[in-house]
Amino acid sequence: MQRRVLRLLALVLASLGLALADANDSKTFTVTVAATESVTIDTGTASPSVDYSDTGYCSAADRFCAWYPTVIYSTNYTTNRKLVASATTTSSILSVVLEKQAAYPNPFTPSWGSGSSPGSWSTAFSGSTLTLTPTDQDIVVGIQNGTYAIAPKLKLVFSSAPPAGTYSATVTFTIMAQ
């Protein structure tokens, strides 16, 4: 009888061991790193609306008005990104020109910025000026993870003496995949 009980107990333990050997559990853990990118056109204290007779911003003799914005762009991508720009105007005699400044000849990492790959001027902006169109044009290429800036002069240029009225231009900078 004791042998039978031992055999039965051994049989129960063996089947329980097999059952435990087949038991398992798994979980998949996921971490999502959200893509965060931003572009800001910082004009400081300068108003984006001026009077054409304002000699601080405009030159009626040369038919343009100019601002000195800092374009701040940021990405957490480690692959190449690019900064593009476009402009639309309310009149065919008005155009938008970006002009490189000697004090800021290249894209840079500001003192409060981060990263070491601010990119470089695109071939479209290889000269000292670029006239923007309604279609996106490459401005800076090869941007990688960080917060950077460019500081071009932004000029609204009249092709002829403008008649009285109000003229405006919308300038858009976008960071995107290269």
Side-chain angles (χ1 to χ4, degrees), residues 20-31:
L20 288 176
D22 288 341
N24 65 45
D25 189 17
S26 67
K27 295 271 185 209
T28 300
F29 296 89
T30 304
V31 176

Side-chain angles (χ1 to χ4, degrees), residues 76-127:
N76 67 346
Y77 280 95
T78 56
T79 56
N80 286 342
R81 309 297 283 172
K82 66 181 178 178
L83 183 68
V84 300
S86 63
T88 56
T89 63
T90 57
S91 173
S92 60
I93 68 166
L94 183 62
S95 60
V96 179
V97 175
L98 292 181
E99 185 177 303
K100 293 177 185 172
Q101 292 191 70
Y104 301 99
N106 295 303
F108 61 97
T109 305
S111 60
W112 42 263
S114 63
S116 59
S117 298
S120 58
W121 298 117
S122 72
T123 55
F125 200 7
S126 60

Side-chain angles (χ1 to χ4, degrees), residues 33-39 73-77 81 145-147 175:
V33 178
T36 56
E37 294 185 303
S38 66
V39 177
Y73 52 98
S74 170
T75 182
N76 67 346
Y77 280 95
R81 309 297 283 172
N145 196 14
T147 299
I175 191 165

Side-chain angles (χ1 to χ4, degrees), residues 5-31:
V5 171
L6 285 176
R7 275 190 198 160
L8 184 60
L9 186 58
L11 185 61
V12 168
L13 287 175
S15 63
L16 182 60
L18 289 175
L20 288 176
D22 288 341
N24 65 45
D25 189 17
S26 67
K27 295 271 185 209
T28 300
F29 296 89
T30 304
V31 176

